[in-house]
Amino acid sequence: MDALGRSRIEDFLCLEAQLLDAWDLDTWLTLFAPEASYVVPCNDSPDGDPARDLVLIDDDELRLRLRVERLNSRRAHREYPHSRTNHQFSNVVVGVREGDELPVVASFTVWRFRNGKASYYVGKYHYRFVAIDGRLRIRSKRVVLDMTTLRPAGDLAIIL
């Protein structure tokens, strides 16, 4: 983990964005460590703790796998056929290693195109990366929306 540079982290984030934009969600799941988490707190409580606060998404490894399974099927009516998305990130800040974890924060914009309409999500990604068998993996991904309302986006049916 100590040898990781910002360019390797940015390459990893590029890979994640490409997989999400290609709707290759099964491969995207392989980027996560076992016992991973994916959390999206409510807009009005960006520091919300899923253990005590209402959040938009609070997925552990199982729920994340089930979310991907549903989004890949026709049962996800909000996303069949799939939206076209464009995940962009910038301002990557690599923190100081904490135990076996490396914290990383990046700004993001995700564009979603569906049924002739464009919508967007803006905020910050808060990652905790770990090395497993020499490979970088996501232990946790927290998506903090800067938007004060989801009105421009309408809903949260895609993976940010």
Side-chain angles (χ1 to χ4, degrees), residues 8-25:
R8 183 156 175 220
I9 297 293
E10 287 180 348
D11 287 348
F12 187 94
L13 296 177
C14 281
L15 172 63
E16 181 189 25
Q18 291 168 350
L19 293 171
L20 289 171
D21 290 341
W23 280 85
D24 188 353
L25 302 181

Side-chain angles (χ1 to χ4, degrees), residues 10 22 28 40 67-68 81-82 89 94 99 105 110 129 137 142:
E10 287 180 348
W28 175 74
V40 182
R67 180 180 302 278
V68 165
H82 300 310
F89 66 90
V94 178
V105 176
V110 176
F129 289 106
R137 292 291 175 253
R142 184 178 180 93

Side-chain angles (χ1 to χ4, degrees), residues 98-113:
E98 299 170 7
D100 67 341
E101 294 183 334
L102 182 65
V104 173
V105 176
S107 298
F108 75 86
T109 302
V110 176
W111 287 93
R112 177 183 180 212
F113 304 95

Side-chain angles (χ1 to χ4, degrees), residues 21-89:
D21 290 341
W23 280 85
D24 188 353
L25 302 181
D26 292 318
T27 303
W28 175 74
L29 270 180
T30 68
L31 300 180
F32 284 83
E35 301 179 18
S37 68
Y38 172 68
V39 174
V40 182
C42 290
N43 307 48
D44 61 350
S45 184
D47 296 323
D49 178 356
R52 68 171 191 278
D53 300 314
L54 180 65
V55 295
L56 298 172
I57 296 173
D58 178 21
D59 286 356
D60 59 10
E61 182 183 12
L62 173 62
R63 284 193 297 255
L64 193 55
R65 199 169 351 103
L66 293 172
R67 180 180 302 278
V68 165
E69 183 180 307
R70 185 180 55 78
L71 285 171
N72 279 333
S73 75
R74 290 179 178 248
R75 294 184 315 221
H77 301 292
R78 297 287 296 149
E79 281 305 321
Y80 192 83
H82 300 310
S83 296
R84 289 180 42 210
T85 60
N86 187 301
H87 288 71
Q88 303 169 359
F89 66 90

